[in-house]
Amino acid sequence: MTEEKKGFFQRIFGRGGALAEPQPAEDEALPPIRSFTPIAAEEPSSGVTTAEQAQAELPAPATAEPETAEPEAAATETAEPVDPAISAEAAGVPDMPAFVFKKDRAARPAEESPPPTETAEEPPAAIEPPRPSLFARPAPPEPAAAPEPPRVSWFQRLKAGLSRSSNAISQGIASVFTKRKLDAETLEEFEDVLIQADLGLPAATAITAAIAKGRFDKEIEGSEVKAILAEEVAKILTPVAKPLVLDPALKPHVILVVGVNGTGKTTTIGKLSAKLRAEGRSVMLAAGDTFRAAAVEQLKIWGERTGAKVISRAIGADAAGLAFDALKEAEAAGTEVLIIDTAGRLQNRAELMAELEKIIRVIKKQDPAAPHTVLMTLDATTGQNALSQVEIFGRTAGVTGLVMTKLDGTARGGILVAIAEKYRLPIHFIGVGEGVDDLEPFEAEDFARAIAGLAG
């Protein structure tokens, strides 16, 4: 090895190649010499030492080209400065050619730097929600699911519908028969109470006579008066409480529905259609109220719900011609029941009642026995005017049966007693609401007990 190379490596690594400590200042004591363990080269799988393998791989020293290395480049390969005063003999490292040492250094794996210390990431600071304004409106609570309303019996609904009449009668009984003996004056006062409840004079007279029988000049309790009232009302209503009977031999059985404006004709037709379809009967509906588009659409909706075919025409079309076409189509299809709607009309309008007569005449041209049933709907809130309606519609259209509708808390249901006592027309159905189940066959006993304020 040339002197130049030896001097270079001694300056960098010391004489023996060990890394040297920096020289202390002259006035400082030298630190003790550290022991040095030479870096062993990786042993190859063949078992040849690193020095021998390097010697075998390299060409002869005579032909090897001298390696030149810049001092700056060599300095970058060292991790720390060396002490030139430390000799190879002191470190216990045998002298070897410089190129072997360099090869050994090349095979030495780079010292792994210690892994970076993992620092736990600090959680993000919680974002404080904005404080609500003092004037901000609080958010409305989420609506809770409404519980399903309990099932109400038919009698309870009927009693609620007759509450106006029954309350008036009950209050009258309490004021007239409280702590006093039964006399003519008492009976006359109670008769006025019954007339004001729309039961009519004949029915009121019959009821007061039944109360006076065997009880005159005696004290009587209010509960006893209510029981007598219910009994007498049932006597009047029982003969007219008849179900609607359809002749199966007639195909179709034609039902014509009439009444004044707003009495619930179209809704009653829809409910009746639902009941007939539930019995397995085939039903056809004729939208004869051609003057009101809403009535036509409402009947179509009922037809879709119940599976009944609906015959309709353009708004303003001739209602009689529509009824004639519907009857022909029902006969051809073998439909069991044909229900014909008509426009609402006031009983005191002669021209409107004449149109109703025309519809009936045209139907009879197709079937002389038709219409087989003429149902008249009565609004329970009408009161005494219902008597006039039944009389005029009965004379014009030949009403065969009644349907009392709209028995709600404002109804004046006592009028049904007066109508039954005067005209003796069958009462087929009674309605207390808009649902299909709110139309039921008329029961005289239930009606009598409800209007008297008694339990079912």
Side-chain angles (χ1 to χ4, degrees), residues 38-295:
I39 300 174
E42 294 183 357
E43 295 184 0
S45 59
S46 60
V48 181
T49 60
T50 304
E52 293 172 350
Q53 185 180 6
Q55 186 69 28
E57 291 178 356
L58 291 175
T63 59
E65 296 180 3
E67 296 180 9
T68 58
E70 296 293 331
E72 292 79 7
T76 59
E77 295 180 1
T78 60
E80 57 187 30
V82 297
D83 186 2
I86 302 175
S87 62
E89 290 81 4
V93 180
D95 195 7
M96 62 180 66
F99 62 87
V100 176
F101 183 76
K102 186 174 183 180
K103 182 67 177 179
D104 190 22
R105 289 183 63 251
R108 172 185 172 185
E111 294 184 2
E112 295 183 359
S113 59
T117 305
E118 294 184 2
T119 56
E121 294 184 1
E122 296 183 1
I127 301 175
E128 184 178 355
R131 296 183 179 179
S133 171
L134 295 177
F135 302 98
R137 180 178 298 178
E142 294 184 3
E148 195 170 319
R151 182 71 178 174
V152 181
S153 68
W154 167 252
F155 181 80
Q156 289 174 323
R157 285 182 284 170
L158 177 62
K159 189 174 181 179
L162 291 170
S163 59
R164 178 178 177 179
S165 298
S166 63
N167 289 340
I169 294 174
S170 297
Q171 291 173 6
I173 292 174
S175 62
V176 172
F177 294 97
T178 301
K179 296 181 180 180
R180 56 186 295 187
K181 292 183 179 181
L182 189 63
D183 54 17
E185 184 181 356
T186 303
L187 292 173
E188 186 176 350
E189 289 181 12
F190 186 58
E191 187 177 276
D192 291 341
V193 170
L194 297 177
I195 292 174
Q196 292 174 6
D198 293 318
L199 272 72
L201 180 59
T205 303
I207 292 168
T208 53
I211 293 174
K213 188 176 182 179
R215 301 175 182 87
F216 204 79
D217 202 23
K218 295 180 181 180
E219 290 187 1
I220 185 172
E221 297 291 335
S223 58
E224 188 178 357
V225 174
K226 288 183 178 181
I228 297 171
L229 171 63
E231 183 179 354
E232 293 301 316
V233 170
K235 287 180 181 179
I236 297 173
L237 295 178
T238 299
V240 298
K242 297 179 179 179
L244 177 62
V245 179
L246 302 178
D247 189 352
L250 300 173
K251 290 189 178 180
H253 185 111
V254 181
I255 302 175
L256 184 67
V257 182
V258 299
V260 301
N261 309 69
T263 55
K265 296 184 302 299
T266 306
T267 303
T268 300
I269 290 173
K271 296 177 183 178
L272 185 57
S273 173
K275 292 185 177 296
L276 293 173
R277 290 291 296 153
E279 295 176 0
R281 301 176 186 266
S282 57
V283 180
M284 182 180 292
L285 308 178
D289 189 355
T290 57
F291 297 101
R292 193 164 62 97

Side-chain angles (χ1 to χ4, degrees), residues 430-450:
I430 189 166
V432 297
E434 295 295 325
V436 175
D437 295 335
D438 294 331
L439 182 72
E440 290 292 330
F442 180 71
E443 295 289 343
E445 190 72 25
D446 289 345
F447 188 92
R449 295 186 67 82

